Amino acid sequence: ADAWNQLGMSLEMTGRYEDAAAAYRQAIEKTPELAGEFGLLLGSVLLRMERFDEAEKHAKLGEKTNFGGSHVLLARIQLARKHFAEAEREAHIAEGDKFSQVTARVLLAQVYAQQDRAKEAYVITEEVAAEAEQRKLGNIESLDFVRGDALARMARYPEAIDALRREIEHFPHNRQAYASLYLVYMLTNRPDDANGLLELMVRVNPNKRAALFAAHTVEAIGDQRGAAMWRQRAATLR
């Protein structure tokens, strides 16, 4: 079980999601008694692949063994679908599990930020940060990303840049943090920093999906030439 887990995580980290999903499926087949936990890992990969229905099915598979984790994943799936009411409901359910409470609150803040409720989102991130410091929880994945996103939406750009830089420093595989910081750099007329950031993202994540993500990011601001360049680079990567 440990070997399949490590293999799946390694493949996922390098952007080989199809192979990671296959590894987790093998793990479920070989160790059916751990189907709940491996189901959550598989569901997370399927979410990254935007196969939402399959991801939801596997998220529910893990509810009996990891109630909070199951509902965190269900909230992430609903957020990706932009079903905000359902995402908020699932995050609140996960919040009731002490093992998932912190993650659920960060996710709830992300849901709020995407609904133009940036001030509420920011307040939650500050509360979570204070709790994490008090409990000595260390760095919380996505906390600074959500905080930076909320600050950017409030046009507090210097603070947003600091928060997003911290997220990238601590969690260099969080591509959304690079995308958000790229947009803030462009909004503050720092195109060289913005383009250098995408180069950094692909150096840290040297795979096709990262390059395609860079293409999508620059395309979002209307840079078709830049998007074409990134797609050409993606074709050279696995």
Side-chain angles (χ1 to χ4, degrees):
D2 288 344
W4 282 113
N5 182 57
Q6 288 298 321
L7 176 60
M9 291 178 66
S10 297
L11 291 165
E12 187 176 352
M13 192 70 71
T14 56
R16 295 170 58 183
Y17 298 145
E18 290 282 1
D19 293 335
Y24 292 138
R25 290 186 197 277
Q26 282 287 325
I28 292 171
E29 181 181 335
K30 301 290 186 182
T31 57
E33 68 276 13
L34 299 176
E37 287 301 319
F38 280 119
L40 292 179
L41 292 170
L42 176 55
S44 181
V45 173
L46 292 167
L47 170 59
R48 291 176 181 271
M49 297 164 67
E50 299 185 354
R51 290 159 61 174
F52 301 133
D53 290 344
E54 290 180 78
E56 184 174 3
K57 173 185 173 183
H58 286 88
K60 291 177 179 177
L61 185 65
E63 188 173 23
K64 290 184 179 180
T65 56
N66 187 341
F67 181 85
S70 172
H71 286 279
V72 163
L73 180 52
L74 287 168
R76 290 172 56 208
I77 293 165
Q78 297 298 351
L79 180 60
R81 287 169 165 162
K82 301 200 180 297
H83 295 173
F84 297 121
E86 292 88 343
E88 184 175 346
R89 180 176 64 82
E90 293 290 351
H92 278 306
I93 293 172
E95 200 177 1
D97 184 331
K98 65 179 182 179
F99 298 107
S100 300
Q101 187 177 59
V102 169
T103 303
R105 286 186 59 73
V106 172
L107 187 52
L108 183 63
Q110 189 175 359
V111 174
Y112 286 168
Q114 292 197 23
Q115 293 182 89
D116 296 324
R117 298 165 65 182
K119 289 183 179 179
E120 293 173 78
Y122 178 69
V123 168
I124 292 175
T125 63
E126 289 294 282
E127 292 172 351
V128 171
E131 181 181 353
E133 183 175 357
Q134 182 181 11
R135 293 170 56 188
K136 295 180 169 50
L137 298 178
N139 298 312
I140 306 297
E141 187 169 4
S142 293
L143 176 59
D144 278 316
F145 159 61
V146 178
R147 176 159 42 191
D149 181 50
L151 286 164
R153 291 171 189 270
M154 292 188 286
R156 292 167 60 176
Y157 297 129
E159 294 168 273
I161 289 170
D162 288 342
L164 292 166
R165 280 176 171 170
R166 284 196 302 273
E167 179 73 24
I168 291 169
E169 178 185 352
H170 296 138
F171 303 99
H173 297 290
N174 186 344
R175 296 184 315 207
Q176 288 292 338
Y178 291 93
S180 292
L181 183 53
Y182 172 86
L183 293 173
V184 174
Y185 278 151
M186 294 302 289
L187 284 168
T188 53
N189 196 30
R190 296 171 62 176
D192 291 341
D193 288 333
N195 291 321
L197 183 71
L198 294 184
E199 293 287 350
L200 173 63
M201 180 184 72
V202 176
R203 282 201 304 274
V204 174
N205 304 274
N207 56 68
K208 178 177 291 190
R209 287 185 181 273
L212 289 174
F213 185 82
H216 176 75
T217 300
V218 301
E219 196 169 42
I221 63 167
D223 184 359
Q224 300 298 332
R225 182 177 178 181
M229 181 273 291
W230 278 113
R231 287 196 174 92
Q232 286 180 346
R233 289 179 62 174
T236 69
L237 298 170
R238 183 172 179 179

